[in-house]
Amino acid sequence: MATAGSSLVHRQRAKYQRSRAVKSRVRSGCVTCEIRHVKCDEKKPVCDRCANAGYECDGYCYNTLARKSSSNPFQPAGTNIKNPRVPIPRAKSLTNSELIVQPSAGPRFESEIEHRCFLVFQDNAASQLSGFYDSSVWDRVVLQACHEEPWARNVVVAIGALHHHRTLSTSPARGPGEGERERKSHYLFALQQYGTALGQLRTIAGQELQSEPRLRHALIAALLTTCFETYIGDQAGAIAQAKVGIDLLLRWTKQKDPANDSLDEWSRIRRVAARSPYLDEGLLSAFQRLDYHVLLCRGAEDGRCHPQSYPSAHQPFTSILEACDFWDLVMRRLVFFSSVGPVSQKPIPGKNENTTISRTKGEVDPHPMEAEQQRFKTASEQFFRYFDPIFKDSRQRPGTKEYMLANLVMIRALNCRSNLTRKPPESEMYTNVFLQDYMLMIDLARDLIDNVNKTPKKAIFNFEISLGISLFHIASACRDPKVRRSAISLLTQFPNPVAWYDTSVAAKIVTWIVQEEEKGMVNGHIPEIARIKLHRHVTAPHKQWANLYVSKIVWIDGNATREMLPPVQIPL
C-alpha cells in the first residue's frame, strides 16, 4: 500500500509541476515572436515588436503545436549551413527516371510539429497520393525538392498537417472535445504553412523560366499547390493550379519543338522531355493524369491541340500503363468531339442545307455522329481485344496496384462504351443492352474500393475521379433497381469525397433521381416515360442544397418529346 500511495503522490506532483510550467508561459503570441523567443505584445493584425525590429509578423495561430521544441532533435533554422542540394544531369548509364543529386544535410525545420507533419507526408500521404499508379513523384521527386527549396518543404508540411487533420476526422476522439481541438489546430497550422510558402513563391514567380531546373521547380510547385487546394476542397483553385503546370509544359515544348507532327500533345511533350535530364517520366505522368481530370471536369479548351483521330493498336499491350495511355487518347478525342460540337452549323454554299462541315478535319461529313461512333467502335474493339489478356493476367495478383489499376481502366472503358453507343440518342432505354457491363463494373468497383479500405494505410485521398463518375452514370442510367442501389452504396463508401468530384453529393443527387423514376415503375422496371435525364446541377456554396435541371419524355398530340421540368432543389 505504501508503494502504491507514494506512486500516486509522485504522479500527482508531476502533473502539478507540468500544469504550473504550462501556465507560467504565454501561449497567445505571434508565431514569429515564439520562434525568436521574445515576449509578444499581441497587437493585431501585426505586433509592434516584429514591426519595430523589422521582422515580418507571421500572425497568430492559437495552438500549442506550432511552438518550437526546446529539445529540437533536428537542425535549427537559424544556422548558416547552406544546403548545396542541386540537381545535376544523369549519367548515360542510368535509366530515364533516375536523377543524380548531391548529398545534403536534410530539410531544416522551424519546430517539432513541422518535422512531425513532414513525416506524416513522407510515411502516409505520399503513397496515397500516387493512387493506383507506381509513381516516384510524391515519395522521391517532391521530397528531393524539400531539400532544395524552402517553399517545397513548407507546402509538404502543410499537406502533412491536412492529411493528419483528415485522419483525425475518421478516428475516435481520446477525450471530450480533444479530437476537435487537435483537428482545428492542425488545420490552422496547415493554412499558416501554406501562406508562408505562397509568400516565398511570389518572390520567384516573376523570374523567367529560362533553365530546365527552374521549370522543374515550377512544375513541382504547381503539383504541390494543386494537391493542397484539393485537400481543402477548393475545386476551382486546384484546377487553376493544375493548369498552370500543364500550360508551362505546353509552352516549353512549343519553344523546344515548334513542329507539331505528333498524334497528341503528350506524345510531343515526352519526345522533347526525353532530351532533358530534369524532367523525368514520373513528373510528366502526374501532369498528364491531371490534364485528363481537368478535361473531364471542364471539357476541351480553345487553343489546345487535340487528337484529330483515334489511336490504333495492332498487338497486345505490354503493360497496363500502356493500355491506360491508349484509352486516355480515346477519351481525349471523345471529350474534344463532344465539347466543340461534331459539326459547325453554317450550311455549305451550293450544298444541301443539312450537309455540314466537320470541325475536326475540315471536310464534308453529312452524318458526323454516326461516323464518330463508328470510329470509336473500331478503337474500342481494338482496346478490349488487346487489353483482355493483360487484364486476365492481373487477376492472379489480387490486392496489388497492378490489379487495382486494371480494374480502374476496365471500368473507364466499359462506362465510356455504354455512354457513347446510345441509339436513338434521345431515348434512355438504350441502357438495357449494357446491363452485363454495368454488373461487371459494379463488381470491379466493389473489389477496388474494398481493397483500398482494407489496406493498413487507408487511402483517404487521391486525385482519381473517374471511378466516382462511372458509378454515378450506372446509378442514373441503369434501369435495374438492384444494380442502381449497389452503385449508390459504393458512392457512399468511396474512400474520400475529393474536391474535384464529391461522391457524397453525387450519391444524394442520383438517389433523388432513382426515387422519382421508381414512382412510375411497371412490373419491376422503369418505362421510358418515367425516365428522368439530368442536364446539370448547381450546388450551394457550402453544399446545403443543390438545384437540379432535368427533363422527361412527354406525349403531346400523340408524339413523344423531351420537355424541361422546373428546377428541383434537394437538400444535401
Side-chain angles (χ1 to χ4, degrees):
M1 293 295 295
T3 303
S6 60
S7 177
L8 177 61
V9 170
H10 177 74
R11 290 198 300 270
Q12 294 291 339
R13 182 181 300 165
K15 181 179 179 181
Y16 174 72
Q17 289 174 346
R18 286 196 301 271
S19 64
R20 287 191 60 189
V22 171
K23 292 179 181 179
S24 63
R25 298 180 61 189
V26 176
R27 301 296 187 194
S28 57
C30 75
V31 176
T32 306
C33 288
E34 272 198 326
I35 294 174
R36 295 175 57 214
H37 295 288
V38 297
K39 185 176 180 180
C40 181
D41 57 25
E42 302 182 41
K43 186 175 180 181
K44 298 179 178 64
V46 177
C47 73
D48 286 337
R49 184 173 287 275
C50 287
N52 295 335
Y55 287 93
E56 181 177 358
C57 182
D58 287 331
Y60 300 85
C61 182
Y62 297 109
N63 63 61
T64 59
L65 296 173
R67 298 194 307 272
K68 182 178 178 181
S69 173
S70 58
S71 57
N72 194 353
F74 27 85
Q75 182 179 344
T79 58
N80 291 323
I81 300 177
K82 294 184 178 180
N83 192 345
R85 191 181 183 88
V86 178
I88 60 177
R90 296 185 293 266
K92 291 184 179 180
S93 61
L94 298 179
T95 64
N96 199 35
S97 62
E98 294 176 320
L99 185 70
I100 301 175
V101 291
Q102 297 177 0
S104 71
R108 297 179 294 169
F109 303 98
E110 299 284 355
S111 61
E112 184 178 354
I113 180 59
E114 281 194 13
H115 187 235
R116 291 206 303 268
C117 292
F118 181 87
L119 293 178
V120 169
F121 179 92
Q122 177 179 275
D123 299 336
N124 297 282
S127 61
Q128 296 177 20
L129 287 169
S130 299
F132 309 116
Y133 300 87
D134 285 324
S135 173
S136 60
V137 172
W138 298 100
D139 57 5
R140 182 180 65 83
V141 175
V142 167
L143 296 183
Q144 286 177 354
C146 294
H147 292 250
E148 304 161 13
E149 299 292 339
W151 52 260
R153 183 196 69 237
N154 286 326
V155 182
V156 163
V157 168
I159 295 173
L162 283 181
H163 189 90
H164 190 58
H165 162 81
R166 285 181 174 270
T167 305
L168 290 172
S169 65
T170 60
S171 304
R174 294 185 295 272
E178 184 176 349
E180 182 61 27
R181 287 194 298 270
E182 189 174 358
R183 287 180 64 247
K184 185 176 181 180
S185 61
H186 276 86
Y187 189 80
L188 292 174
F189 179 68
L191 294 180
Q192 172 193 315
Q193 290 294 117
Y194 188 59
T196 302
L198 290 181
Q200 294 166 337
L201 285 170
R202 288 190 193 100
T203 62
I204 63 174
Q207 300 177 4
E208 293 292 333
L209 298 176
Q210 297 176 348
S211 64
E212 291 176 0
R214 284 188 178 179
L215 174 63
R216 175 185 173 86
H217 285 158
L219 293 175
I220 294 173
L223 190 63
L224 286 172
T225 51
T226 300
C227 179
F228 185 90
E229 297 291 343
T230 306
Y231 258 105
I232 64 174
D234 186 356
Q235 183 197 48
I239 292 178
Q241 294 300 324
K243 289 176 64 177
V244 167
I246 295 166
D247 291 343
L248 282 175
L249 274 173
L250 292 173
R251 289 200 302 269
W252 174 78
T253 303
K254 189 174 182 179
Q255 292 173 358
K256 296 290 183 179
D257 184 15
N260 185 12
D261 56 357
S262 300
L263 176 65
D264 68 294
E265 290 174 320
W266 286 99
S267 297
R268 185 183 175 196
I269 289 173
R270 278 186 161 81
R271 182 178 65 187
V272 178
R275 303 192 292 264
S276 171
Y278 299 99
L279 301 179
D280 55 352
E281 176 63 26
L283 194 58
L284 297 178
S285 296
F287 276 101
Q288 183 175 3
R289 290 192 290 271
L290 281 178
D291 190 33
Y292 175 81
H293 288 97
V294 171
L295 197 66
L296 291 180
C297 292
R298 296 293 175 86
E301 298 178 11
D302 294 335
R304 291 287 300 271
C305 179
H306 297 277
Q308 298 298 305
S309 62
Y310 287 96
S312 60
H314 304 288
Q315 58 185 1
F317 299 117
T318 58
S319 68
I320 296 177
L321 284 177
E322 183 182 354
C324 187
D325 289 341
F326 181 94
W327 196 256
D328 177 76
L329 289 175
V330 173
M331 285 299 300
R332 289 178 189 278
R333 167 64 190 174
L334 282 175
V335 174
F336 170 63
F337 184 82
S338 60
S339 295
V340 302
V343 294
S344 63
Q345 299 303 316
K346 184 177 179 180
I348 307 171
K351 298 286 184 179
N352 186 292
E353 290 186 357
N354 294 325
T355 305
T356 51
I357 299 178
S358 169
R359 295 176 104 183
T360 58
K361 291 193 173 184
E363 58 188 20
V364 176
D365 193 345
H367 305 289
M369 182 56 70
E370 290 79 359
E372 186 72 12
Q373 287 182 339
Q374 184 58 44
R375 289 190 287 265
F376 168 77
K377 181 181 178 181
T378 301
S380 62
E381 287 175 350
Q382 291 177 351
F383 172 83
F384 285 109
R385 183 186 309 122
Y386 295 129
F387 180 61
D388 187 63
I390 199 169
F391 176 78
K392 289 180 178 178
D393 181 67
S394 68
R395 304 302 92 183
Q396 308 299 320
R397 294 173 293 280
T400 62
K401 281 194 172 185
E402 180 185 14
Y403 177 91
M404 292 189 284
L405 182 59
N407 279 17
L408 181 64
V409 175
M410 181 63 81
I411 290 171
R412 286 179 180 176
L414 291 173
N415 179 62
C416 185
R417 182 172 69 176
S418 66
N419 210 357
L420 187 73
T421 54
R422 56 169 65 190
K423 292 181 180 181
E426 285 300 320
S427 174
E428 294 296 317
M429 306 297 285
Y430 74 97
T431 60
N432 294 345
V433 299
F434 294 107
L435 180 59
Q436 294 299 319
D437 283 356
Y438 292 147
M439 294 172 67
L440 175 58
M441 291 163 65
I442 289 293
D443 290 339
L444 294 175
R446 182 182 293 111
D447 192 14
L448 193 149
I449 292 176
D450 287 346
N451 267 288
V452 170
N453 286 333
K454 288 177 183 177
T455 55
K457 297 177 180 178
K458 186 177 178 181
I460 62 173
F461 176 87
N462 60 60
F463 287 106
E464 182 56 52
I465 67 172
S466 58
L467 177 59
I469 293 175
S470 300
L471 290 173
F472 180 85
H473 172 69
I474 296 171
S476 59
C478 182
R479 294 201 308 149
D480 185 277
K482 184 178 179 180
V483 174
R484 302 183 89 176
R485 281 173 168 74
S486 296
I488 294 174
S489 176
L490 290 175
L491 279 173
T492 60
Q493 297 172 34
F494 210 75
N496 179 55
V498 297
W500 291 42
Y501 190 81
D502 195 327
T503 53
S504 62
V505 171
K508 292 177 181 178
I509 291 175
V510 78
T511 297
W512 178 87
I513 294 175
V514 170
Q515 291 173 349
E516 289 297 312
E517 289 185 349
E518 290 183 350
K519 292 178 181 178
M521 183 179 290
V522 178
N523 297 326
H525 289 281
I526 301 169
E528 175 74 9
I529 197 170
R531 297 285 283 177
I532 293 176
K533 183 176 181 180
L534 176 68
H535 294 269
R536 66 187 181 97
H537 74 277
V538 178
T539 308
H542 299 289
K543 298 183 180 179
Q544 302 99 333
W545 48 262
N547 282 335
L548 309 184
Y549 298 85
V550 299
S551 64
K552 291 184 69 173
I553 295 291
V554 296
W555 288 89
I556 301 177
D557 298 331
N559 297 318
T561 181
R562 182 168 295 279
E563 185 176 273
M564 291 296 299
L565 302 181
V568 179
Q569 186 175 106
I570 63 170
L572 299 178

